[in-house]
Amino acid sequence: MSGSISLQLKSEMFDHGIFPASAYFNTVNLTSIIKELHKFSTIDNKITMQQFCEEVAKKIPALSEKDAEIYFITFKTLTVDGEVTSPAPLSKSTKAPGSVKEPSEKVVDIRCFAVYLCMQLYGQSLKTSTEARKTMSNTPWPSLSTSPTLGQGMASPRSKATKVQYTTTENQLLFHFVKSNIKLFLSLISSDPQPADNISLTANELNSLRIIFDIAKADGTFVKSGTSISSYAPFFAAGSVSSTAKVKLGLVAEWIISLMTAHDKPRDDIVGISSVSKAVSMQDADYQGKCLKIIGCEDSYIYINSCVSSVLISACVNCTIMIAAISKACTIDKCESLIFSSAVQAIRIGNCVDCKLNMYSVGQPIFYGDNRSIQLGPHNVAYEELMVHIKKGRVASSPSTLNNWASPLMMKSNKDVFILQEAKDFYKLELPSIYKENMLLLAPTNYIDVLNMRTAAFVEIQALIKAAKLTPEQEKELQAEIQGYFREWLVTTNTVKPISELVKMIITQPLN
């Protein structure tokens, strides 16, 4: 039966789950941490965030408790709709939540979490191993999808790295990493206390790999997410998901390697916008529920009127990007002068410079790597269809999370890299005319009040001008004065260039 299927890596987990701080992990301390956590896990293989943080403190003192929490929170976000069964809520924590709402569920499946932690070695392996590239060059690779994958280097946002064209080499390296380390993945999943050479796995333990593998049929389609990997294994009886029978690790590893394939054709659930320059792009229902990658775009305006599963924005310069809703994770990496607005479940920002990010985020934003001059602000988009997309993405809006944008978590990142947008500087993002105007709903009240006061003042001035009954000559003088001040504002706020460029784009090309 296994001959009719193949295993393909879920790029979403690697795009949004790996952090540069993974340099603190190595095979030795990772194995030690996971084996100890297996001992502490409950009968249903659950561990708490506190248990994980305590073990990290013992084995990796250089990794702070806050950084350990970020790994835990990121894993839970990425697997909220995945293969991990949501645990029952814990009792209320005694820790003061402050102004930010903390997640009520602070437990994870240790086996799946072990897979996620092992993924962190990928970034380190790219720096320390030259053999990977040598082996890769001698390995016959199938024709790969042109969909790019995020590299995990820590290049400065001002370096040439922002101009790198992402190629299938990244996919090949990722494929090779997992294939070369599959025995390590399996050994960390197993709760078997035996030495590595004698470890055996159950069907349930094997199924933990579902968080990084999709099961593809011979016709290129994928089986539904609830289907177990073990149901295709020849050494487990059909339907033995809960079987206690064990199989030697070596046999399981050989079987998995025989089924692993790189992406030999574009996937329907992954869509991309790449290398767009000086353009306006508008996308609708075609992106609904898919993983979106926006890479290498310059001087462009991109509007996504859909709820997408996840978004990777990388190596974009001088772009404005609006996405209605993101049901899982968003990663913004190696971007410069980016204007971004969306309602998201979780968002990460790494190696970016001079970016303005307005958002509603269920979780706190996460900064990693080398960021500089980032402005954070509340959600500033409003149009008629917006709340429909937000509900589809289950981006739960709550008064307790309206200010999460203002309380980012910092992973080995300078705390002075961002500033918070003040209410007096808050404006709605201007959208193309096809988006019908609506009232703002996902911003704090004091920011909405400033918008309303600004609108009321504008209406009042219009009324005063009308009541003054100016002569035609006086109207021309007033118009000249207003235009003069407006031009000055455009120049001093550096707004004139994007407006003029946008007008040129709309005139010279149709919206698509």
Side-chain angles (χ1 to χ4, degrees), residues 93-119:
S93 170
T94 57
K95 184 178 179 181
S99 61
V100 178
K101 182 180 180 181
E102 296 188 343
S104 59
E105 298 178 353
K106 295 185 180 180
V107 296
V108 297
D109 186 301
I110 178 56
R111 300 163 300 182
C112 296
F113 191 48
V115 174
Y116 170 73
L117 292 179
C118 194
M119 286 167 43

Side-chain angles (χ1 to χ4, degrees), residues 1 12 59 81 99 189 250 285 341 359 366 386 392 410 508:
M1 183 177 179
E12 186 178 53
K59 304 297 191 305
D81 292 320
S99 61
I189 290 171
S341 186
M359 71 194 75
I366 296 173
L386 180 63
K392 285 181 180 178
M410 315 298 293
T508 59

Side-chain angles (χ1 to χ4, degrees), residues 16-210:
H16 306 288
I18 296 178
F19 290 96
S22 58
Y24 289 96
F25 290 106
N26 57 53
T27 303
V28 176
N29 60 34
L30 196 56
T31 300
S32 178
I33 290 171
I34 297 301
K35 291 304 179 185
E36 285 298 313
L37 291 175
H38 272 295
K39 296 177 184 178
F40 299 143
S41 62
T42 62
I43 194 171
D44 56 349
N45 301 291
K46 300 297 191 295
I47 62 162
T48 67
M49 183 166 69
Q50 186 61 38
Q51 288 172 328
F52 171 62
C53 291
E54 290 174 356
E55 282 304 308
V56 167
K58 294 176 186 176
K59 304 297 191 305
I60 316 177
L63 195 63
S64 69
E65 180 180 0
K66 182 59 67 176
D67 288 350
E69 290 178 357
I70 290 175
Y71 281 107
F72 197 94
I73 292 168
T74 301
F75 170 75
K76 283 189 64 65
T77 300
L78 291 174
T79 57
V80 67
D81 292 320
E83 313 310 319
V84 187
T85 303
S86 298
L90 293 177
S91 57
K92 292 184 178 179
S93 170
T94 57
K95 184 178 179 181
S99 61
V100 178
K101 182 180 180 181
E102 296 188 343
S104 59
E105 298 178 353
K106 295 185 180 180
V107 296
V108 297
D109 186 301
I110 178 56
R111 300 163 300 182
C112 296
F113 191 48
V115 174
Y116 170 73
L117 292 179
C118 194
M119 286 167 43
Q120 304 305 320
L121 299 178
Y122 172 60
Q124 183 70 359
S125 70
L126 292 181
K127 299 177 186 178
T128 60
S129 175
T130 58
E131 292 302 316
R133 292 181 182 273
K134 292 179 181 178
T135 304
M136 184 186 67
S137 63
N138 296 322
T139 303
W141 293 91
S143 174
L144 299 180
S145 165
T146 56
S147 295
T149 301
L150 171 63
Q152 297 297 334
M154 289 187 64
S156 166
R158 296 188 187 275
S159 72
K160 296 292 185 181
T162 57
K163 301 295 184 180
V164 169
Q165 293 298 314
Y166 288 81
T167 68
T168 54
T169 300
E170 294 289 345
N171 286 327
Q172 294 169 359
L173 286 172
L174 183 57
F175 179 90
H176 182 78
F177 165 75
V178 175
K179 191 173 182 179
S180 301
N181 291 278
I182 193 62
K183 288 187 177 181
L184 177 60
F185 277 95
L186 294 173
S187 67
L188 295 179
I189 290 171
S190 174
S191 59
D192 193 334
Q194 299 295 323
D197 294 339
N198 298 321
I199 288 177
S200 297
L201 293 98
T202 65
N204 265 331
E205 289 171 338
L206 172 59
N207 291 333
S208 300
L209 289 178
R210 260 316 235 133

Side-chain angles (χ1 to χ4, degrees), residues 386-407:
L386 180 63
M387 292 310 296
V388 174
H389 295 306
I390 289 175
K391 289 178 181 178
K392 285 181 180 178
R394 288 173 287 179
V395 182
S397 57
S398 167
S400 62
T401 55
L402 277 180
N403 289 305
N404 278 0
W405 61 271
S407 304

